[in-house]
Each structure stands twice: as structure tokens, then as C-alpha cells.
Amino acid sequence: MPRYLSLSWKILLLMLSMLLLMLLWFTGLSLLHMNEQFSRQQAQRKAQGQQYFEFYSQSSTQQLLTWLQTQAELQQLHLADDFKQFAAGLATQLEPLQQNFAVRQLSLFGAQQQLLYRSNAAIPGNSDDIVARTLAEQSPQTLVSCDTQCDKLLTLPLLNRNGEVAILLATTDMTEVLFNLHKALGVEVAILRDSTDNNGRQRFTLLQASDHQLLQQLYQVLPAQFDMAQARRDGLVLTLQQHSYYLHFIALAPGGDDSHLLLMLEDVSAAVTENQRYQRRIIAVAAGCFLALLLLITLVTRRVSRRILQLANALPLLAQRRYAAFRQQSTLQQGLLQDELTTFADSVLTLSHELETLDQQLQENTSSLQQMAMFDQLTGLANRNMLQYQLSLALAGLQHQPGYVGLLFMDLDNFKNINNSRSHAVGDLLLIETAQRLKSLARPTDVVCRFGGDEFAIVLTHLSTAEQAEQLAAKVLALFDTAFTPEQGVVSLSVSIGVACSADAGFAAEELIRRADLAMYQAKHNGRNCCFVFAEQMSSDLAARMQLEAELRDAIVQQQFSLSLQPQVNLNTGRLCGFEALLRWQHPQRGMVPPDEFITVLEQAQLMPEVGYWVFERSCQHCVTLIQQGLSQIVIAVNLSADQFLDRSLPENFAAILQKYALSAAHFELELTESTLVSNISDTLDVMHRLKAQGFTFAIDDFGTGYSSLNYLKRMPVSTIKIDRSFVMGMLDNPADYQIVVSTIAMVHKLGLKVVAEGVESLAHLQLLQQHSCDFAQGYYLSRPLPEAQLSEFVANQVSEQQWPASLLP
């Protein structure tokens, strides 16, 4: 018969068994958590040591680089023809470099890695590799070199006035980095070499250390066999004379040679002792709880339930980052005896402190990243984010200090052409020099920003009048009168500036930027290289321009463009010698839109290359018709925009179109403006010679309105100069215009070129031009531009003999 056992005893035994199991489990979990926490702390300590080591190493490297670059600038190396004087000056810099940066050796190498200078100390054996890498990448390089001790090799590429490269090599002692790491973290540090002997035993060679004696003693108690890979990953604990030491192994050169290690040695005796004490305390508490709960099972059960519910209700506060409220709500009343729940509560409280610390660190790191995001990486100027921030601060400051806040919004003219024709590297150099020029002009209280691409802005604070912003804009325009001189050649740049000001503290920064941007676009629309102040009319003008741009895109798709051809007459023979192809736009609602209204918009919208190819092909079609009508020697002048002329594939595209219509390039004269010719002289000459080889001739359009140079004219394969209509039309009334026309004809003839006079409006104009031996003329007096539909009839009826009507000639 089964033995009798009361239900109360069954419940008690069951509860005690469950409690015993739970106490064992909870104790083990607590100990595991404690060990994991200790491991995490050591991992964090290792990461902290690695971070500090990298920081001090990079900091010393950057300071030394700054010193060396400063010395090169002070000795004006960029103005020197060679490196002799700079090399001679290195000897005087060795002592301060040794004192300030622990430089042990200094040497200078030429572009062929030939030695130009070295100090008394021997050059490290692996210096050739880092010098070669520096020459290849043209940027500073660092390398850790270890022999009997570890040194850091640092190189700096230098340029003289002739663009020759030299490499400055400095060898620094890493003792100062180790000393800083030792002081910052309060641990012993060393650099050692990891190797294995013939018996497979791990051997360490100590190169540098903050405490040689201690490390030698620890080496004696090192296990005969241990997993070095695990030790590198998780660290190693050694006991020496009742002291526990934690060894952190950190790769000295991550990703490279892993035989040299940074050893960080920390005395963890207190932590180990505390962990052992903590383990004993947990075990004691568990045993006490087990004995106490034997008598107070009901009371303890209620207490446990109450505490668990309290913690459960408080835990969501951690997710809400309400750490103080969590600690206040989760704090448990102290009972007579501590138990696992108390330990768990303490661990949760500790966790809350750790989470709060990590959250604060995250906020600090986020703030640091936001700071980095406020500056442009190329120019070092404030970026768009900083612009909006500083502009908002400046506007808000008007509430306390009345006045004006101004904004200059700038865009470099035709900068895209420079990137396309030169290179993006040259473009970057121009952006950097532009930033330097703007900073040199700005006041200490102003903020110079790179808004993006080739757009810059200056925030002007504490202005007493709005006119001060305009005065600074005029100074900025003057800055660009001086050409830029990168290594690849002289580049002329201009800038379009928009100005907007406000005296209202409640004015939005975004609105002020919008206004300055609109003013800048107005400057672009009015010929560039100028400054405009915002006016309310600009908003409606921009909307109209955007509408016109959209309609132009539709016009290309719907083929609304046409050509009108204006005859050109040979003043020596009176014969028709050619036509100039003029683009016309018949809008379905607007009617005939004047070219002055839409040509600029086509250029700004980057549509001119597409339209330009259409104009050339349409001119080829008319040329075929004219040849069929007997004008076998006819020449059609076609205008090329700057964007189309800088297209690298222009000669090939024109050749394909000529082949399509079986035409010779001799039937076409390509007209270029002065600004197009001289903006990128080297690329211009290359394209012109390629087109000249195909048979095209060239004419300079609107001569006298730009900045032509006789030197350029002699170098370019130009055959014709077109005098701008403004001079021809004014030559009867304005003596200055008359002298310009006469002197231009004489000068061009001396250069062996032909002259075309535009804007011939009367017989008096024609007579004066003939009197001074002008070669060709075109204008309303001779003929208005002929629409395409009238061209064939005009040729057939009026100039079938290629002789201009006698009534029009003197």
C-alpha cells in the first residue's frame, strides 16, 4: 500500500523542488551575466585602447604633416625652381622636429626616388616602398616599420614652381604614442613581435614597453600551449603574485603585417576579486533564500510577484529613454534578505545606467557627425546645411541688433564647359581657388559657403544698409578679373551674382535663399558676369522663363523651328556669295518669337547642341537645293553655340551629316563668338584644326564686342571677321564707331583675312564700306532674311545671274 503524504507536504516539496531548480538556474544566469558583463567590459576596454592608439597615432601624424607643409610654404617652395634650397633648410628643422615630434630621421627624395637629402640617421630599409606609393598616389602615406623597435614612416609629396615632385620622408619614434596611451588609459602598453619557435611554442619579442620587468615576469608564467588566435580575439588572463592581469592583443597595422602587436596590460585583480566575492554572495543569498522560503513560502511568493510586476511595469520606460523614471519606479524596497530578484533588479538598474551612458555617447557621436555634415569636403567651406543654419541665426539676431542680413548667391559662368573640356580635376582646383578668393574678401563675421556644384554663397551679417551687400558683390566680380592659373593652363572665369537682403527678424532663411537665387538667375539671363539685386518682378520673370523653356522643349519635339537665310554680297563683284542661316521659331499661340527671347533660354537649358545639329542638317538640305539651282560656289554661314562647339564628337557628327547629303565642307562657314574662342583656347584650337582639315572655314561673329586678342587671331585658322552690326549702324553718326570699323578692316586685311559687315541699313553704309575696301556685306538694305518658302523663288527670280540688282549698289 502506498505511503501517505499530506497534500501540504506535496505542495511544499513541489515548491521547494521548483524553488531549488529555479534558484540554481537563476544563480547560474546571474553568474553567466556577470561573466558576460566582464567580457563586454574588457572588449570595450580593448576597443577603447585601439581607438585611443589610432587617435594618438593619427593626431601625431597630422600635426607633423601640418608642420612640414607649413615649413614648405614658409620657404615658398611653390615658387622655387628646384628643391636645393628647401633640402638645405631641412637640416635646421631636424632639431625642432626631434623635440616636438620625436622625428629620428628626415630625408628628401626626387621624382625618380633619388636621394636629395637625408639626416645623419640611417634611412629605414622599407622606405622605397612608401616613397614609390606616395609618388603613385600623390598623397601623404604612413607605414609602421619594426625592427629592434617600431617607428612610423610618414611621407609628404611636395611641388615646386615647375610642377616637379619631391617626397619628404620622416621617421618618428612611437614611444610618445605609447606614453600617451599609457597615461590616458592608466594601463601598461608594449609593442611585441609574435612568432613560434621550432617546437611550436609561442614566442614574443619585446620591442618597446612601459614596464619591461613586469612583462618579463608575465612571460615566464605564460602557458606552454595556448590558442593565440583566441587570445588575440578575446584576450588572455594571467596570474602573477596574487595579481590578475588581462592582456589585450591589438594588431599594430590592421590589414597588413600581423606579426607585430600592441599589447595593453591591465591589472584586473580588483575586478576578479570582486567577481569572486560577488559569486560567493550570490550563492550565499541563494542558500539563505532557500532556507528562509522553507518557512515563508507564501510570503515570499507574494513578494516575488509584486516585485516582478513592478519591474515589468517599469521596463517600457527604458524603450522610451526615461531612465530616471525607470529607476524611480523600479527601485524595490529592501527586504530582510536579498535574493535573486534583488540581484536581477540591481542588474536591471545597472543596465539602465549603461543604456543611458550609451545613449549619451550616441547623441555625442551624432552631434559630431552632424558637425562633419556642415562643411564641404572639397573646399573646406560651410555647406548648404550650415548656410541655412547660419542664415537663420543671423535673421533671428536682427531682433536684438537691428540692421540688415544680406545674402550673395553666386554661380560660376559656363563652369560645365570647363569640366567637359579640361577635366573634373581642373574644375576642382578652380573651385578650391574660388573658395580661397571669396574667403579673402569676406569679413570675420561673414559666412562663406559652397551651396553645391559651382554655386557659392556669402551670408552677410550686421549690415547697416542694404547697399553694403551690393558693394561686396562688386568686389566679388572684381575678384574674377584676374584669370585662374591651374597647372593645365590659364582659365578665365566669371561669376553671376544674386543679392537679397532683409531687415525682418521673422524672415525665413529659405525665402531669402530663394530670392537671392532668383536674382542670380536674372544675372545669368542678362549676359552673366554681373550682379542683380532681388526685385519682386523676378519671381514672375522666372515663371515666364520656365514656361518658355517648357515650350521650347515642345518646339523641338513638334518641329516648330525653321531657318531664314540672309544673303551676303561680295562688295567687289556685286555678286551673291552666300547666306547666313538664322534660326526662327513660329509658336502656335505666340506667333513668330524673336531670337533674342529664346536663344538665351535654349543655351541655359542646355538645348543648343541638339538644335545646332538640326540647324546644320537643315542648312545642308538648303545647300543641296541652291546647288541644283546653279549656285555651285555658294557658302552658308552657320552659327555654333559654345556648348555645341565644345562637344568632342562635333567633327565626326558634321562629317556624318555631310556624307548623308553628299556635300563638301567647303560650302559651310562656321561662325563662332569671341567668348567661345578664348574661353578654352587649347581645346578650341584642337577642334578648329580638326574641322579645318575637313574643309570648313571659320568666321568670328560680333567682332569687337568681346575680348579678342591679335595673338589668338594669328593662332586660329580663321578666314573671316564679322564686324558687329552695332558698330556698322553707328558709323555714320558716331566717330568712335566709324574709327572702329575702319581700323578693324585695315587690321584684318593686314592679317590676310576677309571682312563681313553686318547691319548694312542704307546706301550710305554701303558706300562707306566700299570706300574702305570691306569685302562682304549683309543687312536689310541688301535683303531681309528669307524664309525657307521664299528661298528658291528669290534665287530663281532675282539673282539667277548671281549679280545683285544694280539699284541696290552704288
Side-chain angles (χ1 to χ4, degrees), residues 45-53 56 179-189 250 264-266:
R45 190 67 168 171
K46 177 180 179 181
Q48 184 184 30
Q50 187 170 8
Q51 182 180 7
Y52 271 59
F53 176 75
Y56 287 122
F179 177 79
N180 290 333
L181 185 63
H182 168 68
K183 287 296 185 181
L185 298 180
V187 297
E188 302 298 334
V189 292
I250 301 173
M264 193 169 69
L265 179 65
E266 184 176 7

Side-chain angles (χ1 to χ4, degrees), residues 50 99-100 144 198 316 375 428 441 452 462 488 515 517 563 654 758 760 771:
Q50 187 170 8
Q99 294 176 354
N100 292 285
V144 176
N198 296 330
F375 293 92
D428 288 345
L441 189 65
H462 309 306
Q488 289 76 3
R515 291 188 172 190
D517 191 24
L563 289 185
F654 273 12
E758 298 180 305
V760 178
Q771 178 182 345

Side-chain angles (χ1 to χ4, degrees), residues 540-603:
S540 57
D541 291 344
L542 178 62
R545 193 190 70 81
M546 298 300 293
Q547 177 64 28
L548 184 61
E549 181 179 327
E551 293 175 356
L552 282 169
R553 295 183 185 275
D554 292 338
I556 295 175
V557 176
Q558 299 173 11
Q559 300 183 352
Q560 297 174 1
F561 290 111
S562 64
L563 289 185
S564 290
L565 281 80
Q566 186 171 28
Q568 293 179 341
V569 178
N570 188 321
L571 296 184
N572 296 320
T573 63
R575 292 178 179 273
L576 173 69
C577 60
F579 295 90
E580 180 180 3
L582 303 173
L583 184 64
R584 296 292 184 261
W585 180 23
Q586 181 68 36
H587 192 278
Q589 285 81 35
R590 299 172 184 257
M592 186 62 70
V593 182
D596 292 343
E597 293 186 14
F598 70 85
I599 291 295
T600 303
V601 179
L602 280 174
E603 292 175 345

